[in-house]
Amino acid sequence: MFSQSLLEDHQDMSSQLGFFSFPPNYNNVGMISTTTTATLPFIGYNQNTLKTLTMNIPPSFDHSLNIQESTHDPRRKEDLSPIFGGPHLHSLQKSTPNTWAWGEVNESSNIIKRREFDHDHNLGVSSIKMKKIKSSRRKVREPRFCFKTMSDVDVLDDGYKWRKYGQKVVKNTQHPRSYYRCTQDNCRVKKRVERLAEDPRMVITTYEGRHVHSPSHDEEDSQASSQLNNLLW
DNA sequence: CGGGTTTGACCAGCGC
DNA sequence: GCGCTGGTCAAACCCG
C-alpha cells in the first residue's frame, strides 16, 4: 500500500512503517485487552516483506482489516495536523470511523533513520532533515506504535502497569499530553496519551519501545499474550 | 510509609 | 543567538 517510489527510495531502510485501521464495528475502550488475539498484517518497507504485528483485541473485533497507505511521519510535529485533522484523516475516517493506527518496527536498534514519504499533499519529510536526528537524552529511538481510539477514558487498559512522569500542554491543543513509563524494572517502554484536538472523543496513544516482560495481570491470558506481545514489543 | 500523580523547572533541538 | 517547543526531571503532594 506504500507508494512505489517510497519503496524504491527506501529499500535500504531496515525500519518499517505502515497504517492499519480498525473496522467501524470495533470501537474503543480496552482496545488492547487480553480477551483474545488477532494478527494484523503489516506492510514492510521492502516490497516482499510482510510483517506481522500482533495485538490482543476483543472478540467483537472484525479481523478483516484494511491496510491504509502511509502518508506522513507522526513523529514530526509538523505532521500532527495532517495526521489528526488533515485530508488523510478525513479519508481514513470515511472508511474507519472509529479507530486507526500506525505501527513501526525498527529492526536495527542502533540505526536511527527517518523516512521521506512520497505523496501529493506536501507532507513529505526532507531526507536531509531525516538525518538530523537528535542525540540528546534518548540516544536510540525506540520502535513506536500509535493508535487512535474513541474513548471516555484517557488511559486504556493494555495489561501493563504505567507510571505517569509528566504532562504537557501541546501547542494548539486544548488537552494536555500525558507521559507514562512502564513501572517494570529494566523496562524502558513509554507511552504518550493525548486527545485529538479536532475530536476530543478520540484518544491518541503512542507506545515507544519494547516490553521486556509480560503484562502485569490477567494471568490466564498471560501465556498466549506474552508470546504475542513478544512479537509486537 | 510506599507508590503514584502533579506541576514547575530544566534541557536540547529546531526555526527564524 | 534567541525564542519556542516537546520531553524529562524531581520535589511536593496525594492517597490507600
Side-chain angles (χ1 to χ4, degrees), chain A residues 172-204:
Chain A
N172 297 327
T173 62
Q174 306 130 322
H175 303 277
R177 173 184 296 167
S178 297
Y179 299 89
Y180 297 88
R181 241 193 296 265
C182 183
T183 59
Q184 188 77 19
D185 286 344
N186 303 321
C187 183
R188 300 176 57 204
V189 177
K190 289 178 247 183
K191 76 172 176 180
R192 296 195 308 240
V193 177
E194 60 195 297
R195 288 201 171 264
L196 185 59
E198 288 77 10
D199 187 357
R201 297 172 302 171
M202 295 294 186
V203 177
I204 312 296

Side-chain angles (χ1 to χ4, degrees), chain A residues 33-93:
Chain A
S33 70
T34 55
T35 52
T36 186
T37 62
T39 300
L40 308 180
F42 186 82
I43 299 294
Y45 251 102
N46 297 321
Q47 296 181 60
N48 296 325
T49 301
L50 181 63
K51 272 283 177 183
T52 298
L53 291 185
T54 306
M55 299 173 61
N56 300 322
I57 294 173
S60 58
F61 181 72
D62 181 350
H63 292 195
S64 58
L65 300 170
N66 297 317
I67 298 294
Q68 300 291 334
E69 182 176 3
S70 150
T71 53
H72 63 268
D73 183 352
R75 287 162 293 180
R76 285 177 57 83
K77 58 187 176 186
E78 298 89 339
D79 293 338
L80 286 177
S81 175
I83 297 167
F84 298 143
H88 298 290
L89 175 63
H90 178 68
S91 63
L92 285 169
Q93 285 181 326

